[in-house]
Amino acid sequence: MVNLGIIGFGRIGKVHAESLTKYISNASLKSVSDPFIGEEDIKYAKSMGVKNIYKDYTKILDDPEIEAVLICSSTDTHSKISIEALRAGKHVFCEKPIDLNIDKIKEVLEEVEKSKLKFQVGFNRRFDHNFRAIKDVVQSGKIGDPHIIKVTSRDPEVPPIEYVKVSGGIFLDMTIHDFDIVRYLSGSEIEEVYAIGNTLIDPAVGKAGDIDTAIITLKLENGTLAVIDNSREAVYGYDQRAEVFGSEGAISIGNDFNSTAVVSTSDGIVSEKPLYFFLERYMQAYVDEMKEFVQAVEEGIEVPVGAMDGLKAVLIGIAAKKSLKERRPIKLSEINL
Amino acid sequence: MVNLGIIGFGRIGKVHAESLTKYISNASLKSVSDPFIGEEDIKYAKSMGVKNIYKDYTKILDDPEIEAVLICSSTDTHSKISIEALRAGKHVFCEKPIDLNIDKIKEVLEEVEKSKLKFQVGFNRRFDHNFRAIKDVVQSGKIGDPHIIKVTSRDPEVPPIEYVKVSGGIFLDMTIHDFDIVRYLSGSEIEEVYAIGNTLIDPAVGKAGDIDTAIITLKLENGTLAVIDNSREAVYGYDQRAEVFGSEGAISIGNDFNSTAVVSTSDGIVSEKPLYFFLERYMQAYVDEMKEFVQAVEEGIEVPVGAMDGLKAVLIGIAAKKSLKERRPIKLSEINL
Amino acid sequence: MVNLGIIGFGRIGKVHAESLTKYISNASLKSVSDPFIGEEDIKYAKSMGVKNIYKDYTKILDDPEIEAVLICSSTDTHSKISIEALRAGKHVFCEKPIDLNIDKIKEVLEEVEKSKLKFQVGFNRRFDHNFRAIKDVVQSGKIGDPHIIKVTSRDPEVPPIEYVKVSGGIFLDMTIHDFDIVRYLSGSEIEEVYAIGNTLIDPAVGKAGDIDTAIITLKLENGTLAVIDNSREAVYGYDQRAEVFGSEGAISIGNDFNSTAVVSTSDGIVSEKPLYFFLERYMQAYVDEMKEFVQAVEEGIEVPVGAMDGLKAVLIGIAAKKSLKERRPIKLSEINL
Amino acid sequence: MVNLGIIGFGRIGKVHAESLTKYISNASLKSVSDPFIGEEDIKYAKSMGVKNIYKDYTKILDDPEIEAVLICSSTDTHSKISIEALRAGKHVFCEKPIDLNIDKIKEVLEEVEKSKLKFQVGFNRRFDHNFRAIKDVVQSGKIGDPHIIKVTSRDPEVPPIEYVKVSGGIFLDMTIHDFDIVRYLSGSEIEEVYAIGNTLIDPAVGKAGDIDTAIITLKLENGTLAVIDNSREAVYGYDQRAEVFGSEGAISIGNDFNSTAVVSTSDGIVSEKPLYFFLERYMQAYVDEMKEFVQAVEEGIEVPVGAMDGLKAVLIGIAAKKSLKERRPIKLSEINL
């Protein structure tokens, strides 16, 4: 049984709390902390059997019974708390991104190496049943050597502009998942990035210095070519698809739906829209990433997504930002000096 | 090169004329006849290179250059003209049904046997790319021994009531194709038929002594079970599907569409309705049944659908009518004494 | 908070125990009983927080804190324990069928009426996301008046022959769910049943007096026609589909899959097989039927599937058995005198 | 009735001959020419009713009865013969590309403008039922303003290396169709092109100075972003798909198949591979482009794909080549001085 604490009890912190308490029998969620925790949240945490509810996360770090912490606080606190937690001897699951600043991520990496503790990054998509299926087929060799990787990733709606402003921009907030998926599916590092983008949905996004529509092409070290297309607003729902095309064939994955119902009328043949919200689509993935983290802690085996994966995805995101700004392809080696 | 004449130049006669003149290089359509042929039709026939256009079909039968005739006249003339044509030494392609009366069909059968001429019946669906595909897989053994055969056959709209009155009823007009398909896919004869039906679409159909909605179950001699469901009006278009389920798997075929377009909006995911009309859906099948008929005539090989197939489908249809009326399963042996 | 006990802690009892303890916050599973309960099961029950683990179910009935019981014991005990539980003042959730004997079911019905307690029958499929979707569309009127209902229900493998012998036969064990679904989707009662069947998979099933392949047609009181096809062994997995065809269109539902992956190679385009096992396919349905039962108990509202639904499905099953034996359509009125 | 001649009687010349003689009633194919015409081809042309068969194409240009010619000779002769034909007063249908050299294309454009004759370029895909369907939906406004256009275009096998050497490279030979499709679907011109590519299939392609795998991103003048992915070898067949994503939804089109058959076995759910060959997939498109050309000639209306379209696609192709070579995005304005 692994004793855990959750630092940051917002939307994603609650998702992990549900997973730990309902689906993972070898996990015990002992404590949660959040500086802004309210009455409702306290009640909710208690109903799940959480013993300690703090405002101050250091109380979790000071608790010798706690073996591992989940860092679900705001992005700007990730690297700092990660280092503190590691120094306190806790295994860490950290939500993505580790930081928007490469140097700070590298400090975390150093601490991880020194500590010999587990450090997992929250790239939940790697645990999704569909992405697992595509990865399995690629690894099986059924489609031969990968030549082209395509990822479609479109959100159902533009996030609040206040969030956009602090998000680090579309590439570090949203595409970061897709960059990780390209690395995951290819098993190769990215060599060069080229990004084009535009503000076609909401001018406020443009005013906030960001774009809402983008296509990013990637040259991989192993010669594979990849492309990601992003939109902040697919009116038909959360659109998460991928395809790997190779020398012996191709594999593609599509969206998930509430039901398989197909209605045929004089207007056409109509099926359901994809699941609208990332929490619906990736609920199973959130449970499974937590299961594997707890297992890694308990059994001392390697985490499925490490700190280096967290660094790499941010590097690619920064290269994409630079590419968009300078209107030219950017080599990863230009970023990661 | 086979010289042909078409007797009856209505809708289906014209379809075959198109096939013979455009797609079948070893066929020459020399003559057509129709007692009601008009100016437009004459012009049309001439544009296709037809030399002789008659009102009287016996002129076609008297022409020694004509090797084969297509009987596309009204159903009540099929058996009479078939016999005359065979006696005149012509190979015959006869539209379904050969007749609504079993004795008359048997007279045709006797004449076919005496004549040693080719006699093909117009069960076009056997030539459809989808039904061919399902037949090929069944024959390949991939799905093992067939256990259950399902046929869905729904027209896009109720035919004119005047037509319903002379059609012989839904089982002999519409389901007859499905009965043939069950025999074709199973390679077995039908032992027993049970039909339920109702008038749910148009009360005028009921007044005309017919039904517009039906489910027919069939016990086959080889032990396979089959079921057909029919409707005279699927508002979303012509619905023609089939499934064979067996000991090692199943195969199903669906409808054809004008395009593969799929539109995703906030209202849902919408694809096209199936092709609305039987001539659109089965155009390729009409060409191919004609090709095989001409080939059978030219090469002296067996026709793909013979007079016996024409008889068997009518027998099943008559059994289904009797079952509906007497509200009990009917053995084929009760009909075919 | 509703206090519950589970009587019978086999496969399905455990499924409900999981649902109650993990997913239903207003339920408390206080006790379980099973005459054959072993060490493993006791450990398992304790890990879920169950306080009392008995061999004798009457201890659950005697416990005044228990408000509701789940009867998950063997079929032959359902009606007896149901009556005892109702007399002990407990709300009852009873697995299907209530009994194989109509008189015994009617005794349960009488007791339910007298008691004013909740009595829900375990027709889990009504709670499945796909069947809910088809029901919603039918009820919405989008497809107009239903004309034809089709249900495909095929198990992945033949059950143990010992089970087949006591199961009541395919119609009361397996098709009973499909009979209920036809009633659920149509909102109408069945008037007449006709069944054909054969032993095409396993001769041992035939020796046990049962069949393994069947087609059942149903005439509904409201004029709708329905057909069910069953097989005890679909080698590609659990096959659960349905279609309702009506005056304004049709709706169909298909199977569920582990992933949406589609692999294209020189061998063809391959997607996954349907979920193999009913517990995988209907897990969400099991949780939701339990949720609604607990809600009905807590809020005093009507149960979604009542004792009368349990009776009706058995009546249809008995009619189907009689139809198969007597080789004729059977009116429900012949059974339910 | 329009009298036509075909210059160049290779594979594509024969395709058009079939269309003109079989499917287009207001066209008369009077003459064909080919310097290498053999006995078989002469016999074949005669069987279609072609009167004159020449080695020297100028005989077609000198025939005053010929109103329009189809230029289906080798690419390096397209512009020269186009200009000669226009000067001889013939309407011209010219296979793509008009030329690999921009100046030569511009000379053709000038001649077209002077002549007031019709000049259509063979971008057949615009006439394909699927691409028509996607265009219709985009134009209807159903998916709002286009934000992202994606085109997948993969050949079933690498062409002969001798062909690769003279083809102008993948962008001018293969992607040229996709560039045209992006212009067609968007209704906008391309502003900037960026291409990445690799030789992943056949080293001989690389030795011939070409690539076999590519991703090309396009910035359109109207702000839309587009991406094309190409492979010279999809082992599962000819892969031709497209998607337009917009402010109100998305539309996608997929491949065509020989049948709708789906086979379910213990190995998985298998459907057919897409049509393997471009002539199979685009046969209907070839007929329809010819129909519209003949109609434009006969009725004096505008051709659906003009000389300017031919120029634009080549310009984009040249920009893509330059981008690949110089490893940077190329503005169209850099090419078209």
Side-chain angles (χ1 to χ4, degrees):
Chain A
M1 185 70 77
V2 177
N3 287 311
L4 295 112
I6 293 179
I7 295 169
F9 202 56
R11 189 164 64 179
I12 193 68
K14 281 168 193 148
V15 165
H16 293 315
E18 293 268 340
S19 297
L20 291 173
T21 55
K22 287 196 182 153
Y23 305 99
I24 304 174
S25 50
N26 56 332
S28 170
L29 177 58
K30 199 185 164 198
S31 311
V32 305
S33 77
D34 196 302
F36 308 108
I37 202 151
E39 276 314 301
E40 274 306 303
D41 288 349
I42 291 170
K43 218 171 111 186
Y44 174 63
K46 282 186 177 163
S47 80
M48 288 190 286
V50 176
K51 281 189 205 149
N52 309 312
I53 299 159
Y54 308 115
K55 295 214 165 190
D56 177 2
Y57 70 89
T58 60
K59 294 202 175 149
I60 294 182
L61 300 187
D62 292 344
D63 181 349
E65 276 188 6
I66 297 283
E67 290 162 85
V69 296
L70 278 50
I71 303 178
C72 306
S73 49
S74 64
T75 295
D76 57 327
T77 66
H78 286 182
S79 60
K80 177 177 173 285
I81 302 180
S82 287
I83 290 170
E84 291 173 8
L86 290 163
R87 287 181 183 161
K90 311 302 184 199
H91 302 286
V92 173
F93 175 95
C94 181
E95 274 305 323
K96 64 94 218 171
I98 302 177
D99 204 288
L100 299 174
N101 179 295
I102 295 171
D103 292 335
K104 288 195 179 172
I105 304 176
K106 288 186 175 173
E107 286 170 32
V108 174
L109 250 90
E110 278 169 38
E111 199 64 41
V112 171
E113 269 163 46
K114 264 190 274 175
S115 73
K116 310 281 178 199
L117 291 160
K118 304 296 167 197
F119 189 93
Q120 185 169 328
V121 177
F123 285 131
N124 58 294
R125 251 171 245 182
R126 290 192 183 208
F127 303 85
D128 173 65
H129 62 130
N130 291 326
F131 284 99
R132 284 257 150 131
I134 195 169
K135 172 72 173 174
D136 286 351
V137 168
V138 171
Q139 270 188 323
S140 75
K142 251 185 223 168
I143 62 156
D145 298 322
H147 292 177
I148 295 171
I149 297 176
K150 296 172 72 177
V151 176
T152 290
S153 176
R154 300 172 188 156
D155 277 355
E157 51 189 286
V158 178
I161 291 301
E162 289 315 305
Y163 176 78
V164 169
K165 284 176 185 166
V166 300
S167 68
I170 190 169
F171 297 134
L172 287 168
D173 172 52
M174 181 175 164
T175 327
I176 194 170
H177 281 291
D178 309 313
F179 294 140
D180 183 63
I181 282 297
V182 171
R183 291 182 65 245
Y184 174 64
L185 293 179
S186 67
S188 171
E189 296 302 335
I190 275 64
E191 187 179 296
E192 197 175 281
V193 181
Y194 177 70
I196 56 177
N198 211 339
T199 309
L200 299 171
I201 298 160
D202 187 350
V205 172
K207 275 180 209 153
D210 203 359
I211 53 171
D212 52 31
T213 306
I215 296 177
I216 308 99
T217 50
L218 305 161
K219 288 167 76 170
L220 277 65
E221 287 182 0
N222 68 357
T224 303
L225 310 178
V227 61
I228 297 161
D229 72 276
N230 288 148
S231 171
R232 282 288 197 186
E233 185 170 281
V235 297
Y236 50 84
Y238 195 40
D239 194 356
Q240 298 279 298
R241 290 173 284 150
E243 180 183 359
V244 181
F245 170 81
S247 55
E248 303 299 329
I251 173 161
S252 64
I253 55 166
N255 293 306
D256 284 344
F257 299 88
N258 264 322
S259 89
T260 58
V262 176
V263 180
S264 303
T265 70
S266 54
D267 293 332
I269 312 300
V270 186
S271 59
E272 292 197 5
K273 291 182 285 181
L275 298 179
Y276 189 81
F277 195 42
F278 75 93
L279 289 181
E280 286 175 284
R281 163 67 190 259
Y282 288 121
M283 188 48 69
Q284 160 270 324
Y286 284 118
V287 173
D288 283 349
E289 72 173 355
M290 218 26 71
K291 267 187 195 160
E292 296 203 17
F293 173 64
V294 172
Q295 190 191 12
V297 167
E298 192 167 46
E299 303 179 11
I301 58 176
E302 218 169 320
V303 291
V305 204
M308 186 57 86
D309 296 306
L311 171 64
K312 289 289 170 77
V314 172
L315 283 172
I316 305 167
I318 289 172
K321 279 179 93 158
K322 190 177 173 73
S323 171
L324 188 77
K325 197 177 161 201
E326 302 186 6
R327 299 171 159 262
R328 66 179 180 93
I330 302 293
K331 287 201 183 305
L332 262 282
S333 54
E334 292 184 53
I335 304 298
N336 191 26
L337 301 170
Chain B
M1 184 70 78
V2 177
N3 287 309
L4 296 111
I6 293 177
I7 295 168
F9 201 58
R11 189 164 63 180
I12 193 68
K14 281 168 194 148
V15 166
H16 294 315
E18 293 267 342
S19 297
L20 291 173
T21 56
K22 287 195 180 153
Y23 305 97
I24 304 174
S25 50
N26 57 333
S28 170
L29 177 58
K30 200 185 163 198
S31 310
V32 305
S33 77
D34 196 301
F36 308 109
I37 201 152
E39 277 313 301
E40 274 306 303
D41 287 350
I42 292 171
K43 220 171 108 183
Y44 175 62
K46 282 186 178 164
S47 80
M48 287 189 287
V50 176
K51 280 189 205 150
N52 309 310
I53 298 158
Y54 308 115
K55 295 215 163 186
D56 178 2
Y57 71 89
T58 62
K59 293 201 175 150
I60 293 180
L61 300 187
D62 292 344
D63 181 348
E65 277 188 5
I66 297 283
E67 288 163 84
V69 296
L70 278 52
I71 302 177
C72 306
S73 50
S74 64
T75 295
D76 57 328
T77 68
H78 285 181
S79 61
K80 178 177 172 286
I81 302 180
S82 287
I83 290 170
E84 290 172 7
L86 290 164
R87 287 181 183 162
K90 312 301 185 199
H91 301 286
V92 172
F93 175 95
C94 181
E95 274 304 324
K96 63 98 221 173
I98 302 177
D99 203 286
L100 298 175
N101 178 294
I102 295 171
D103 292 335
K104 288 194 179 174
I105 303 176
K106 288 187 173 172
E107 285 170 32
V108 174
L109 250 89
E110 278 169 36
E111 200 62 42
V112 172
E113 270 163 44
K114 264 191 274 175
S115 73
K116 311 282 180 199
L117 291 160
K118 303 296 166 199
F119 188 94
Q120 185 170 328
V121 177
F123 285 131
N124 57 293
R125 250 170 246 183
R126 290 192 183 208
F127 302 85
D128 173 65
H129 61 131
N130 290 328
F131 284 100
R132 283 258 150 131
I134 194 169
K135 172 71 174 176
D136 287 351
V137 168
V138 171
Q139 270 188 323
S140 75
K142 251 185 226 168
I143 61 154
D145 298 322
H147 292 176
I148 295 172
I149 297 177
K150 295 172 73 177
V151 176
T152 290
S153 176
R154 300 171 190 157
D155 277 353
E157 52 189 286
V158 178
I161 292 302
E162 289 316 304
Y163 176 78
V164 169
K165 284 177 186 165
V166 300
S167 68
I170 192 170
F171 296 135
L172 287 168
D173 172 51
M174 182 176 163
T175 328
I176 192 169
H177 281 290
D178 308 313
F179 295 141
D180 184 61
I181 282 298
V182 171
R183 290 184 64 246
Y184 173 64
L185 293 180
S186 67
S188 171
E189 295 303 333
I190 276 66
E191 188 179 295
E192 198 175 279
V193 181
Y194 177 70
I196 56 177
N198 211 340
T199 309
L200 298 172
I201 299 161
D202 186 350
V205 171
K207 276 179 209 153
D210 204 0
I211 54 171
D212 53 30
T213 306
I215 294 177
I216 308 101
T217 50
L218 305 160
K219 288 167 75 170
L220 275 66
E221 288 182 359
N222 69 357
T224 303
L225 310 178
V227 63
I228 298 161
D229 72 276
N230 287 147
S231 170
R232 282 291 197 183
E233 186 170 279
V235 298
Y236 51 83
Y238 196 38
D239 193 356
Q240 299 279 297
R241 289 171 286 149
E243 180 183 359
V244 181
F245 169 81
S247 55
E248 303 298 329
I251 172 162
S252 64
I253 55 166
N255 292 306
D256 284 344
F257 299 87
N258 264 322
S259 89
T260 57
V262 176
V263 180
S264 304
T265 70
S266 54
D267 293 332
I269 311 299
V270 186
S271 59
E272 291 199 6
K273 290 182 286 181
L275 298 179
Y276 188 81
F277 195 42
F278 73 95
L279 289 181
E280 286 175 284
R281 163 68 190 259
Y282 288 123
M283 188 48 68
Q284 161 270 324
Y286 283 117
V287 173
D288 283 350
E289 75 172 352
M290 219 25 70
K291 266 188 197 160
E292 295 203 18
F293 173 63
V294 171
Q295 190 191 14
V297 167
E298 192 168 46
E299 302 180 10
I301 58 175
E302 220 170 317
V303 292
V305 203
M308 187 57 86
D309 296 307
L311 172 62
K312 289 289 169 74
V314 172
L315 284 172
I316 305 166
I318 289 172
K321 280 180 92 159
K322 193 177 172 72
S323 171
L324 188 76
K325 199 178 160 198
E326 302 185 7
R327 297 170 160 263
R328 64 180 181 92
I330 303 293
K331 285 201 183 307
L332 262 281
S333 55
E334 292 184 52
I335 305 296
N336 191 25
L337 302 170
Chain C
M1 185 70 76
V2 178
N3 286 310
L4 295 112
I6 293 179
I7 295 169
F9 201 58
R11 190 164 64 179
I12 193 69
K14 281 167 194 149
V15 166
H16 293 314
E18 294 267 341
S19 297
L20 291 173
T21 55
K22 286 195 181 155
Y23 306 98
I24 303 173
S25 50
N26 56 334
S28 169
L29 177 59
K30 198 184 165 197
S31 310
V32 305
S33 77
D34 196 300
F36 307 109
I37 201 152
E39 276 315 298
E40 274 307 302
D41 288 349
I42 291 169
K43 219 171 109 183
Y44 175 62
K46 282 185 178 166
S47 80
M48 288 189 287
V50 176
K51 281 190 207 151
N52 309 312
I53 298 159
Y54 307 116
K55 294 213 165 189
D56 179 1
Y57 70 89
T58 61
K59 295 202 173 148
I60 294 182
L61 300 187
D62 291 343
D63 181 348
E65 276 188 4
I66 297 282
E67 289 163 84
V69 296
L70 279 51
I71 303 178
C72 306
S73 50
S74 64
T75 295
D76 57 326
T77 66
H78 285 182
S79 59
K80 177 176 173 287
I81 302 180
S82 288
I83 289 170
E84 292 172 8
L86 290 163
R87 288 183 181 160
K90 311 301 184 200
H91 302 286
V92 173
F93 175 94
C94 181
E95 272 306 322
K96 64 96 218 169
I98 302 178
D99 203 288
L100 299 175
N101 179 295
I102 295 170
D103 291 335
K104 289 196 177 171
I105 303 176
K106 287 187 174 172
E107 285 170 31
V108 174
L109 249 89
E110 278 170 37
E111 199 63 42
V112 172
E113 270 164 45
K114 264 190 274 175
S115 72
K116 310 279 179 202
L117 291 160
K118 304 297 167 197
F119 189 93
Q120 185 169 328
V121 177
F123 285 130
N124 57 294
R125 252 170 245 183
R126 290 192 182 208
F127 302 85
D128 174 65
H129 62 130
N130 290 327
F131 283 100
R132 284 257 150 130
I134 195 169
K135 172 72 175 175
D136 286 350
V137 168
V138 171
Q139 271 187 323
S140 76
K142 250 185 226 170
I143 62 155
D145 298 323
H147 292 177
I148 295 171
I149 296 176
K150 296 172 73 176
V151 176
T152 290
S153 176
R154 300 170 189 157
D155 277 354
E157 51 188 285
V158 178
I161 291 303
E162 289 316 303
Y163 175 78
V164 169
K165 284 178 186 165
V166 300
S167 68
I170 191 170
F171 296 135
L172 286 168
D173 172 51
M174 181 175 164
T175 327
I176 193 169
H177 281 292
D178 309 313
F179 294 140
D180 183 62
I181 282 297
V182 171
R183 291 183 64 247
Y184 173 64
L185 293 179
S186 67
S188 170
E189 296 302 334
I190 274 64
E191 187 179 298
E192 198 174 278
V193 181
Y194 178 70
I196 56 177
N198 211 339
T199 309
L200 299 172
I201 298 160
D202 187 349
V205 172
K207 275 179 208 153
D210 203 0
I211 53 171
D212 53 31
T213 307
I215 296 177
I216 307 100
T217 51
L218 305 160
K219 289 167 75 171
L220 277 65
E221 287 182 0
N222 68 357
T224 303
L225 311 178
V227 62
I228 297 160
D229 72 275
N230 288 147
S231 170
R232 282 289 196 184
E233 186 170 281
V235 297
Y236 51 84
Y238 196 39
D239 193 357
Q240 299 277 299
R241 291 172 285 150
E243 180 184 358
V244 181
F245 169 81
S247 55
E248 303 298 329
I251 173 163
S252 64
I253 54 165
N255 293 306
D256 285 344
F257 298 88
N258 263 322
S259 89
T260 59
V262 176
V263 180
S264 303
T265 70
S266 54
D267 293 332
I269 312 299
V270 186
S271 58
E272 291 197 7
K273 291 182 286 181
L275 298 180
Y276 189 80
F277 194 41
F278 74 94
L279 289 181
E280 287 176 282
R281 163 67 190 258
Y282 289 122
M283 188 47 70
Q284 160 271 322
Y286 284 116
V287 173
D288 284 348
E289 72 173 354
M290 218 27 70
K291 268 188 194 159
E292 296 203 17
F293 173 64
V294 172
Q295 189 191 11
V297 167
E298 192 168 46
E299 302 179 10
I301 59 176
E302 217 168 322
V303 291
V305 204
M308 186 57 85
D309 297 306
L311 172 63
K312 289 290 169 77
V314 172
L315 284 171
I316 305 166
I318 288 171
K321 277 179 94 159
K322 192 177 173 73
S323 171
L324 188 77
K325 197 177 161 199
E326 303 185 6
R327 298 170 158 264
R328 64 177 182 94
I330 302 292
K331 285 201 183 305
L332 262 282
S333 55
E334 292 185 52
I335 305 297
N336 192 26
L337 299 170
Chain D
M1 184 71 77
V2 177
N3 287 309
L4 296 111
I6 293 177
I7 295 168
F9 201 58
R11 190 164 62 180
I12 192 69
K14 282 168 193 147
V15 166
H16 293 315
E18 294 267 341
S19 297
L20 291 173
T21 56
K22 287 195 180 153
Y23 304 99
I24 304 174
S25 50
N26 57 335
S28 169
L29 177 59
K30 201 186 162 197
S31 310
V32 306
S33 77
D34 197 301
F36 308 109
I37 202 153
E39 277 313 299
E40 274 306 304
D41 287 349
I42 292 170
K43 221 172 106 184
Y44 174 61
K46 282 187 177 163
S47 80
M48 287 190 287
V50 176
K51 279 189 205 149
N52 308 311
I53 298 156
Y54 306 117
K55 295 215 163 184
D56 178 1
Y57 71 89
T58 62
K59 294 200 176 152
I60 293 180
L61 300 187
D62 292 343
D63 181 348
E65 278 188 4
I66 297 284
E67 288 163 85
V69 296
L70 278 53
I71 302 178
C72 306
S73 49
S74 63
T75 295
D76 57 328
T77 67
H78 286 181
S79 61
K80 177 176 172 287
I81 303 179
S82 287
I83 290 170
E84 291 173 7
L86 290 163
R87 287 182 183 163
K90 312 303 185 199
H91 301 286
V92 172
F93 174 95
C94 181
E95 273 304 324
K96 64 97 219 172
I98 302 178
D99 205 285
L100 297 175
N101 179 294
I102 295 171
D103 292 334
K104 288 195 179 173
I105 303 176
K106 288 186 174 173
E107 284 170 33
V108 175
L109 249 89
E110 278 169 36
E111 201 61 44
V112 172
E113 270 163 44
K114 263 191 274 175
S115 72
K116 310 283 180 199
L117 291 160
K118 305 295 167 198
F119 189 93
Q120 185 169 329
V121 178
F123 284 131
N124 57 293
R125 251 170 245 183
R126 289 192 183 207
F127 302 85
D128 173 65
H129 61 130
N130 290 328
F131 284 99
R132 283 257 150 132
I134 195 170
K135 172 71 175 174
D136 287 351
V137 168
V138 171
Q139 271 188 322
S140 75
K142 250 185 225 169
I143 61 155
D145 298 323
H147 291 176
I148 295 171
I149 297 177
K150 295 172 74 177
V151 176
T152 290
S153 176
R154 300 172 189 156
D155 277 353
E157 52 188 287
V158 178
I161 292 301
E162 289 316 304
Y163 176 78
V164 169
K165 285 177 186 167
V166 299
S167 68
I170 192 170
F171 297 134
L172 286 168
D173 172 51
M174 182 176 162
T175 327
I176 193 170
H177 282 290
D178 309 313
F179 294 140
D180 183 62
I181 282 298
V182 171
R183 291 183 63 245
Y184 174 64
L185 293 179
S186 66
S188 170
E189 296 303 334
I190 275 66
E191 188 178 296
E192 198 175 279
V193 181
Y194 177 70
I196 56 176
N198 211 339
T199 308
L200 299 171
I201 299 160
D202 187 349
V205 172
K207 276 178 208 153
D210 204 0
I211 53 171
D212 52 30
T213 306
I215 295 177
I216 308 100
T217 51
L218 305 161
K219 288 167 76 170
L220 276 65
E221 288 182 0
N222 69 357
T224 303
L225 311 178
V227 63
I228 298 161
D229 71 278
N230 288 147
S231 171
R232 282 289 197 185
E233 186 170 279
V235 297
Y236 50 83
Y238 196 39
D239 194 356
Q240 298 279 298
R241 290 173 285 150
E243 179 183 359
V244 181
F245 169 81
S247 56
E248 303 297 329
I251 172 161
S252 64
I253 55 166
N255 293 306
D256 285 344
F257 298 88
N258 264 322
S259 89
T260 58
V262 176
V263 179
S264 304
T265 70
S266 54
D267 293 332
I269 311 299
V270 186
S271 59
E272 290 198 7
K273 290 181 287 181
L275 297 180
Y276 189 81
F277 195 41
F278 74 95
L279 289 180
E280 288 174 283
R281 163 66 190 260
Y282 289 122
M283 188 47 69
Q284 161 269 325
Y286 284 117
V287 174
D288 284 349
E289 74 171 353
M290 221 22 73
K291 268 188 195 158
E292 296 203 17
F293 174 63
V294 171
Q295 190 191 11
V297 168
E298 193 167 45
E299 302 179 10
I301 58 176
E302 220 169 319
V303 290
V305 202
M308 188 57 86
D309 295 308
L311 172 62
K312 290 289 170 75
V314 172
L315 284 172
I316 306 166
I318 289 171
K321 279 180 92 158
K322 193 176 171 74
S323 171
L324 188 76
K325 199 177 159 197
E326 302 185 7
R327 298 170 159 263
R328 64 178 181 95
I330 303 292
K331 286 203 183 304
L332 262 282
S333 55
E334 294 184 51
I335 305 296
N336 192 26
L337 302 171

